[in-house]
Amino acid sequence: MPKRHYTIYCDESSKKGPYFSNFYGSALIQSADRQAIEKILREKKEELNIFGEMKWTKVTKEYQEKYVEFVRLFFDFVASGRIKIRIMFTQNYHRPKNLTEEHRENEYYLLYYQILKHAFGLRHCNPNGIDRVFITTLLDDMPDNKEKIERFRNYICSISQTSAFSGCGVFFPKDQIAHVNSHEHDILQGLDIILGSMYFRLNDLHKAKPDGAKRRGKRTLAKEAVYKEINRLIRGIYPNFNIGANTGTPNGYIDRWEQPYRHWRFVPKEFEIDEDAVKPR
């Protein structure tokens, strides 16, 4: 039976924002393509004289154009489908109800479970279960102790045994679920920049001004410029893309697998409306 191997990088941004929270991002590639993509991204960073880690929090006026150049190259891979990006977040307007202490304690793992199970449409990647598909899952610095990490690995492995994945031939091998340092993975760094830019824009941080100032700071303006370029690149793939809504599936659920870039505004099963979390018009 033919085998396919994919690698999914996972990252998270700030947990709580004024309007949107729980930002999680993932990047999927063919495992055989990993070294080649990393090499090209690393060489681009060297060309830009960046030898440390690139992160959204490091965007400044001095580095603005360098970050723009890097994300342009990164989106070449996205537009061609060599890197698939999924961004998941919650809207504070939908406040979860009936959360237990266990839910709150394991929120990080529960949300990663959701994005791995649903965001890439993996159950649609192998029609008729012809191949055996193996997923390597690399998370940026998993927190907590060994016992919790072991529980999480078991939890992710169990995705293959759910009814939704029955007969799909998709597996999450336990020994292929690991935490990594984003400093050593340029694909993760590109994901961090995209994820951070969405948190920035959806929470209106592009409007922020230093205390007592009439104008926005240079770093805010630089971040807005990088976000605008990312948004332009996304819209080059999907015209009129709405960053605050679920990406549509005009061709059915297969789009969850085939589309190179998607957003998912995760809504809990049970919620109440929080009118205080609505953006001012």
Side-chain angles (χ1 to χ4, degrees):
M1 187 177 286
K3 295 181 181 180
R4 280 189 275 151
H5 295 266
Y6 296 101
T7 296
I8 297 179
Y9 289 92
C10 298
D11 191 20
E12 65 162 339
S13 187
S14 302
K15 287 187 177 181
K16 183 69 174 174
Y19 309 114
F20 293 85
S21 300
N22 299 308
F23 281 72
Y24 287 75
S26 293
L28 181 146
I29 59 171
Q30 292 189 47
S31 296
D33 215 10
R34 177 174 159 187
Q35 286 188 341
I37 294 174
E38 288 278 4
K39 181 175 184 290
I40 294 169
L41 293 175
R42 183 169 60 252
E43 288 173 349
K44 184 64 176 180
K45 286 175 60 180
E46 291 172 358
E47 176 192 319
L48 296 169
N49 289 313
I50 297 177
F51 299 97
E53 182 177 10
M54 297 184 76
K55 293 177 68 69
W56 175 253
T57 55
K58 291 185 176 182
V59 175
T60 61
K61 187 65 178 175
E62 293 73 24
Y63 279 83
Q64 172 186 321
E65 287 307 315
K66 294 184 178 185
Y67 272 72
V68 164
E69 282 196 48
F70 181 81
V71 297
R72 283 175 182 160
L73 174 60
F74 193 89
F75 267 90
D76 284 345
F77 290 116
V78 177
S80 68
R82 291 178 72 184
I83 298 178
K84 292 183 179 182
I85 296 293
R86 303 293 185 261
I87 303 295
M88 184 180 80
F89 49 86
T90 60
Q91 188 171 15
N92 299 352
Y93 179 74
H94 299 113
R95 183 194 294 161
K97 288 176 61 179
N98 301 321
L99 291 183
T100 66
E101 189 59 37
E102 185 179 359
H103 286 139
R104 292 187 177 89
E105 185 180 347
N106 296 309
E107 178 183 62
Y108 172 91
Y109 299 122
L110 292 170
L111 289 173
Y112 264 137
Y113 177 89
Q114 293 295 328
I115 199 169
L116 289 168
K117 184 177 180 181
H118 298 295
F120 286 103
L122 287 168
R123 63 194 179 103
H124 306 289
C125 78
N126 187 27
N128 303 317
I130 295 171
D131 299 339
R132 288 172 65 80
V133 180
F134 297 94
I135 310 297
T136 295
T137 310
L138 303 178
L139 295 96
D140 183 18
D141 290 329
M142 285 196 292
D144 296 319
N145 55 46
K146 289 182 179 179
E147 182 183 343
K148 282 192 175 181
I149 291 172
E150 184 69 7
R151 253 192 355 246
F152 175 68
R153 286 195 174 111
N154 291 332
Y155 200 37
I156 297 304
C157 287
S158 72
I159 292 174
S160 306
Q161 285 130 41
T162 60
S163 58
F165 276 72
S166 178
C168 291
V170 177
F171 304 94
F172 293 80
K174 187 174 178 179
D175 63 351
Q176 294 296 306
I177 302 169
H179 64 275
V180 293
N181 188 331
S182 58
H183 188 277
E184 300 168 359
H185 297 267
D186 295 308
I187 294 172
L188 256 178
Q189 293 174 39
L191 176 62
D192 178 276
I193 296 166
I194 297 168
L195 188 61
S197 75
M198 294 306 155
Y199 175 87
F200 171 83
R201 182 59 181 80
L202 284 170
N203 283 301
D204 282 354
L205 299 184
H206 64 297
K207 298 178 180 179
K209 298 174 185 176
D211 290 341
K214 294 183 178 179
R215 296 181 179 179
R216 295 177 294 165
K218 291 181 179 179
R219 176 167 286 196
T220 297
L221 293 171
K223 287 185 171 183
E224 182 181 37
V226 175
Y227 160 75
K228 283 184 174 180
E229 181 61 16
I230 290 171
N231 190 51
R232 185 189 72 81
L233 292 164
I234 296 169
R235 290 185 171 215
I237 302 171
Y238 305 115
N240 304 314
F241 189 87
N242 184 345
I243 65 168
N246 291 332
T247 306
T249 53
N251 303 303
Y253 287 130
I254 189 66
D255 281 347
R256 291 187 181 177
W257 167 245
E258 292 188 341
Q259 289 179 345
Y261 188 98
R262 292 182 57 82
H263 279 197
W264 180 16
R265 186 184 62 185
F266 180 80
V267 179
K269 285 185 178 180
E270 296 183 84
F271 65 87
E272 57 190 6
I273 300 301
D274 184 355
E275 296 289 353
D276 294 333
V278 179
K279 276 189 181 186
R281 293 187 181 275

